[in-house]
Amino acid sequence: MSMEVREIPTDEQTAWDELVGSSPQGNIFLTHELQSVWCETDPALHLVRLGCFDGSGRLVAGQPIFFKKKFGLRIPFIPRVFYATTPVLSFTIQQDRERQYLALSALARASQSHFPFIKIEAHPNLMDVRPYLEQGWRAHPKYIHIWNI
């Protein structure tokens, strides 16, 4: 099974939004419209969306990375809202551990090739961070508790 990662141009916003809509990690902060608004309201903010495509050319995973340019460098930036930079997996990839591992490994490698230093915030249901650890990433777990009141 091969996975190819490439940047998703803005003219493929429909494919991105379909991925976000079908993903267990999907939320309004990951939609093309809201991410575009963030970039429009802060002229220093830029966005790269990485898409992971399977052997059939289907977008099966992705990751948005916000950044600011300083001194000719691209410095990653994490908006302080709910999981705005989390990797996003299609429902079918989420259910298949092997394909999930391949997709996350490919995204981890591609992220590092775009940014020498990067920090992401993963959605709570992305519990297996081994694909990132095996690519040399470090993990700093933060736990969420849900109280049924």
Side-chain angles (χ1 to χ4, degrees), residues 6-125:
R6 64 175 171 80
E7 287 188 36
I8 301 174
T10 56
D11 63 344
E12 291 185 37
Q13 67 187 16
T14 302
W16 175 260
D17 281 343
E18 287 174 358
L19 172 65
V20 169
S22 73
S23 173
Q25 296 80 38
N27 65 63
I28 188 131
F29 301 112
L30 292 166
T31 63
H32 171 79
E33 184 176 6
L34 197 55
Q35 290 180 340
S36 297
V37 167
W38 277 331
C39 291
E40 290 168 10
T41 57
D42 182 351
L45 191 61
H46 304 277
L47 173 64
V48 170
R49 281 194 199 109
L50 298 177
C52 186
F53 297 82
D54 67 10
S56 301
R58 289 184 301 251
L59 179 61
V60 295
Q63 183 173 350
I65 304 170
F66 290 93
F67 65 95
K68 294 187 176 191
K69 294 180 182 178
K70 293 183 182 180
F71 308 111
L73 299 173
R74 296 182 343 167
I75 310 297
F77 175 81
I78 297 179
R80 296 291 173 212
V81 294
F82 303 99
Y83 313 113
T85 60
T86 186
V88 181
L89 302 174
S90 69
F91 182 76
T92 56
I93 291 288
Q94 183 81 23
Q95 303 304 311
D96 183 334
R97 292 285 185 201
E98 181 181 353
R99 291 178 68 206
Q100 178 180 341
Y101 178 85
L102 291 172
L104 289 175
S105 294
L107 285 172
R109 282 190 303 275
S111 299
Q112 285 179 315
S113 72
H114 281 75
F115 299 91
F117 171 78
I118 186 170
K119 181 178 177 181
I120 62 169
E121 181 181 50
H123 191 279
N125 67 15

